Amino acid sequence: MRNLVWAALPAMMLGACGGESATPANETAAAAVPAAFPVGEWEVSSTVERIASTDGSTPAVSAKQGDKATRKACVANADELSKLFADEGADCKVTTTYARQGRINTAYQCKRSGGLTTPTVNGRYTADTLDVTVDTAFVLIE
């Protein structure tokens, strides 16, 4: 099993997926914590913090420690959060979804060529920000 850890810092809500930008009326509105995860277009910037192998082998990932990436995705509901955290185009099944009262904890099983990835997301959100850590394990299926 191989592990890939990355942090999504910062994430920002851009709008309702129609292209218009979401701008909070004031700082108080920006810091508000909605009960449910805010739907709309999100932009996530991430950095790979650590890559490790539990069996001592070289991890079978192309990512390197320190790699940075940015991704945009339209999230219509909490079950679609994998769009922000799983590999693009991955066939993911939600195993756990909790995104309420400013806390987020989600997990997925994603089929990938040669194996299965299991991203687990933990962190916090406000009306327009997201601060999470994503731990991803890859299991090679031979």
Side-chain angles (χ1 to χ4, degrees), residues 23-33 126-129:
T23 304
N26 57 43
E27 287 300 314
T28 304
V33 177
T126 67
D128 61 357
T129 63

Side-chain angles (χ1 to χ4, degrees), residues 33-98:
V33 177
F37 190 84
V39 298
E41 184 174 14
W42 285 83
E43 180 176 285
V44 176
S45 297
S46 62
T47 302
V48 175
E49 292 183 345
R50 184 182 70 222
I51 299 174
S53 173
T54 57
D55 63 4
S57 64
T58 301
V61 295
S62 59
K64 304 285 185 244
Q65 187 169 332
D67 282 358
K68 297 180 183 302
T70 300
R71 174 185 301 186
K72 289 182 185 179
C74 184
V75 177
N77 59 59
D79 288 336
E80 291 187 348
L81 288 170
S82 67
K83 291 179 180 179
L84 296 174
F85 309 119
D87 291 335
E88 277 189 65
D91 178 16
C92 295
K93 178 181 126 190
V94 177
T95 58
T96 303
T97 297
Y98 180 88

